[in-house]
Amino acid sequence: MKQLSVQQAREQLYELINEVTQQHQLIYISGDDKNNDVVLLAKKDWEAIQETLYLNQIPGMVESIHEASQEAIDECISVEDLEW
């Protein structure tokens, strides 16, 4: 993770925004005070983190996903055969 001071981040803000959105790279920005440290990340990456946290809160979801990942593809049901 790239680490910059607030001043450096201010000077490079547009470039940093392009970097985090295109390369999905986190940027650590350290302030004068440890309480002012932040991480710059793309909105899509933040939304993915939020979705993962939400799914992890659903009882049994993590286990279900893990079990499904262990199944052979030929044992899976096609989308067309699902009954919604």
Side-chain angles (χ1 to χ4, degrees):
M1 179 182 334
K2 184 186 281 189
Q3 183 172 347
L4 301 169
S5 69
V6 172
Q7 181 62 34
Q8 291 170 319
R10 184 181 298 129
E11 293 169 359
Q12 303 172 37
L13 185 58
Y14 292 111
E15 293 87 6
L16 295 174
I17 289 171
N18 286 332
E19 187 173 329
V20 298
T21 56
Q22 294 174 8
Q23 300 174 14
H24 302 279
Q25 186 90 338
L26 299 177
I27 307 292
Y28 179 79
I29 303 171
S30 56
D32 295 335
D33 179 349
K34 289 283 183 193
N35 293 324
N36 293 333
D37 292 353
V38 298
V39 175
L40 180 66
L41 73 153
K43 181 182 177 194
K44 285 186 178 186
D45 295 334
W46 175 245
E47 290 170 346
I49 291 168
Q50 291 297 308
E51 185 173 350
T52 299
L53 291 172
Y54 172 76
L55 292 174
N56 281 323
Q57 293 176 351
I58 299 172
M61 180 62 75
V62 173
E63 294 80 9
S64 175
I65 292 171
H66 180 70
E67 288 173 16
S69 72
Q70 304 300 314
E71 292 180 12
I73 295 292
D74 58 351
E75 294 178 17
C76 295
I77 299 171
S78 70
V79 173
E80 293 82 23
D81 293 336
L82 286 176
E83 295 180 17
W84 298 93

